[in-house]
Amino acid sequence: MRAVFPAVCYDLAKTLNCGQAFRWRPVRGGWEGVVEGRWVRLVQAGDTLEVEAVQPGEDWDWLRRYLQLEIDFPAIVATFPRDIPMQLAEQACRGLRLLRQDPWECLASFILSSTKQIVQIQQIVETLCARFGEAVPVPQDHALAYSFPTAERLAACREEDLRACKMGFRAPYLRETAGIVARGESDLAGIGRLPLEQAREELITLPGVGRKIADCVLLFAYGFPTAFPVDVWILKALRGLYFPRRRPTPKQMHEFVSSYFGPWSGYAQQYLFHFMRTARPGTPAGGATPSLMNGLTHGRNLH
DNA sequence: CCCCAGGTCAGAC
DNA sequence: GTCTGACATGGG
């Protein structure tokens, strides 16, 4: 099945490769992945997305929702603070969207993310899917593709089976959380209907899930617009740009971002994150240099 | 050899 | 409440 969707101001490559999802690979000018058990190929052609899937029928709602094709994107960007760093981030990230992922896949993936580089998270997730996911229908002569393994399947694994996927000390976290979800002791679908703070508290009770990973899931899977993951990159950015020569506690930091970045602060967070990771010219994931940070901080009035 | 990566946890004050 | 080191693995 094929279809074409309008996608104005949509940068597919940035969206799929910015570290919010881990299963997309560039293939022959497009991107291939598996969304909720369905193999998909996406190609950006100007202001449209050409999509190809194997499943029969005309229903593309699952993909439209995943890609968030129907949101008013310019209206979101318009709510960002108009300071120098955010304007630079906007330029660098134009068209970067947030996806709406499956909660279990997102949760499990980010449990595997702690102190790992994005490339390595991709490798771990790929191995995990190949070993414990199920083969999904693919086009003729295409390489095999796998669904993301269910919580039930991962709960049934031995810890050493998971460690064999190179996830190291994260293996018991993933296994225990999978068990809790599989036994229905935590209701992932219900979490999406809670207010943000309650939803976060629920997630944080899970082994291997702290504030940062909870916020990733709240933002990338449940779509809470003000969930604001603070990782090492964002921490560096916020300290350098907004707290020069001060030492805010994590709590003060969260209070600042929730009041400063507006009703779509989660989006703003992803823009800062991607900007920081790609700011140095010449290196694909080089990161902002100290001199760049200095230029931004001492350049002009930020507020 | 070193340091770091989309952190979390238990144990120490 | 805040601070510290341990936890696997791979890249630079």
Side-chain angles (χ1 to χ4, degrees):
Chain A
M1 302 303 111
R2 293 168 184 270
V4 177
F5 297 119
V8 177
C9 197
Y10 201 117
D11 189 321
L12 187 66
K14 287 196 186 87
T15 299
L16 300 182
N17 208 26
C18 70
Q20 57 176 324
F22 302 103
R23 299 205 61 197
W24 293 98
R25 298 290 182 274
V27 181
R28 301 193 320 273
W31 294 85
E32 297 183 7
V34 177
V35 175
E36 287 156 37
R38 306 174 181 93
W39 177 89
V40 193
R41 173 176 170 80
L42 306 170
V43 181
Q44 175 135 36
D47 283 346
T48 65
L49 293 183
E50 301 168 0
V51 310
E52 177 185 354
V54 181
Q55 57 126 32
E58 300 294 318
D59 181 12
W60 292 98
D61 287 351
W62 56 277
L63 188 59
R64 271 197 288 267
R65 174 179 160 80
Y66 179 85
L67 294 171
Q68 291 286 287
L69 292 175
E70 272 142 50
I71 59 168
D72 186 350
F73 183 64
I76 291 175
V77 176
T79 66
F80 292 171
R82 296 234 156 289
D83 62 22
I84 308 267
M86 279 309 296
Q87 286 182 27
L88 288 174
E90 265 182 61
Q91 286 173 23
C93 304
R94 201 162 289 282
L96 194 168
R97 309 293 193 103
L98 291 190
L99 301 168
R100 187 65 61 88
Q101 301 178 54
D102 171 69
W104 167 244
E105 175 170 342
C106 187
L107 171 63
S109 298
F110 276 96
I111 285 175
L112 301 176
S113 75
S114 65
T115 54
K116 275 287 176 199
Q117 297 185 94
I118 289 175
V119 178
Q120 296 185 13
I121 303 166
Q122 292 171 340
Q123 289 169 350
I124 296 170
V125 169
E126 182 174 28
T127 306
L128 189 72
C129 293
R131 295 206 182 162
F132 305 116
E134 295 184 11
V136 300
V138 292
Q140 285 264 321
D141 303 322
H142 196 281
L144 290 175
Y146 299 90
S147 63
F148 193 91
T150 63
E152 289 76 9
R153 181 68 188 89
L154 294 184
C157 288
R158 296 176 308 171
E159 184 181 319
E160 52 193 289
D161 299 328
L162 296 178
R163 279 185 187 262
C165 299
K166 307 299 182 186
M167 65 182 72
F169 61 83
R170 304 158 194 82
Y173 294 152
L174 179 60
R175 186 171 177 279
E176 288 171 33
T177 290
I180 292 168
V181 171
R183 292 190 298 273
E185 295 166 17
S186 184
D187 172 22
L188 290 189
I191 286 177
R193 294 188 285 271
L194 297 173
L196 173 61
E197 288 75 15
Q198 283 182 43
R200 181 183 290 129
E201 281 183 31
E202 275 283 314
L203 288 171
I204 286 179
T205 63
L206 298 168
V209 181
R211 172 72 188 252
K212 188 269 170 183
I213 289 176
D215 279 343
C216 285
V217 179
L218 292 168
L219 183 61
F220 302 141
Y222 293 109
F224 284 96
T226 58
F228 194 106
V230 177
D231 73 310
V232 288
W233 288 95
I234 289 293
L235 199 60
K236 265 189 286 188
L238 294 179
R239 283 222 269 251
L241 298 173
Y242 302 101
F243 296 86
R245 73 190 71 245
R246 264 185 292 166
R247 275 281 152 175
T249 64
K251 189 179 176 188
Q252 292 173 314
M253 195 73 87
H254 281 116
E255 281 168 5
F256 167 72
V257 302
S258 64
S259 65
Y260 183 73
F261 286 99
W264 296 91
S265 54
Y267 256 90
Q269 182 275 356
Q270 194 60 15
Y271 271 53
L272 270 184
F273 175 75
H274 192 253
F275 173 56
M276 288 296 292
R277 289 206 330 123
T278 57
R280 180 165 30 166
T283 51
T289 61
S291 64
L292 171 62
M293 300 285 291
N294 269 331
L296 290 176
T297 329
H298 305 326
R300 261 151 295 174
N301 54 327
L302 291 170
H303 304 98

